[in-house]
Amino acid sequence: MPEVEFNLTDEQLEFLNQFAKLGYPDRSSLVREAIERFRSDFQQNRLDESAKLYAEVYAEDHDLQQLTRQAMEGWPE
C-alpha cells in the first residue's frame, strides 16, 4: 500500500494515537476509515446539492413540468 506523509495538529495526533481504544488495529486503519467516511459524505453532499439544483430548475421550467405530466399519463400510481 502506498505511504503518504502529512502534518497533524497535536490534538489530531493525540486522537490518532488512541486507535486501540477506538477499536482499530493501527493508526493507518483509523485514517483509512476516516477518509472513506469523508469521501462517502462528500459524495452524498454533492448528490444532495445536485438534486436541489435540479429541483430548482424543474420548479421554474413549466414546459418540463408539462412534459413530465404527459410522460406519466397511463402509468400506475
Side-chain angles (χ1 to χ4, degrees):
M1 200 173 292
E3 292 188 18
V4 177
E5 185 177 317
F6 53 90
N7 298 315
L8 299 173
T9 65
D10 290 338
E11 186 178 322
Q12 292 167 335
L13 182 58
E14 184 179 323
F15 177 79
L16 186 58
N17 285 331
Q18 296 178 31
F19 66 89
K21 291 179 185 177
L22 299 169
Y24 295 90
D26 53 42
R27 290 181 289 192
S28 294
S29 297
L30 175 57
V31 171
R32 282 192 299 270
E33 182 166 337
I35 290 171
E36 184 56 34
R37 286 185 183 194
F38 176 78
R39 186 185 67 78
S40 178
D41 288 349
F42 186 79
Q43 287 179 333
Q44 186 61 51
N45 287 340
R46 288 181 66 195
L47 280 173
D48 292 346
E49 186 62 30
S50 177
K52 287 177 190 175
L53 291 173
Y54 276 109
E56 288 175 15
V57 168
Y58 182 80
E60 296 173 7
D61 190 333
H62 299 291
D63 290 338
L64 181 57
Q65 292 173 22
Q66 182 180 1
L67 180 64
T68 302
R69 281 192 298 274
Q70 289 173 345
M72 290 174 34
E73 288 178 9
W75 282 74
E77 290 186 34

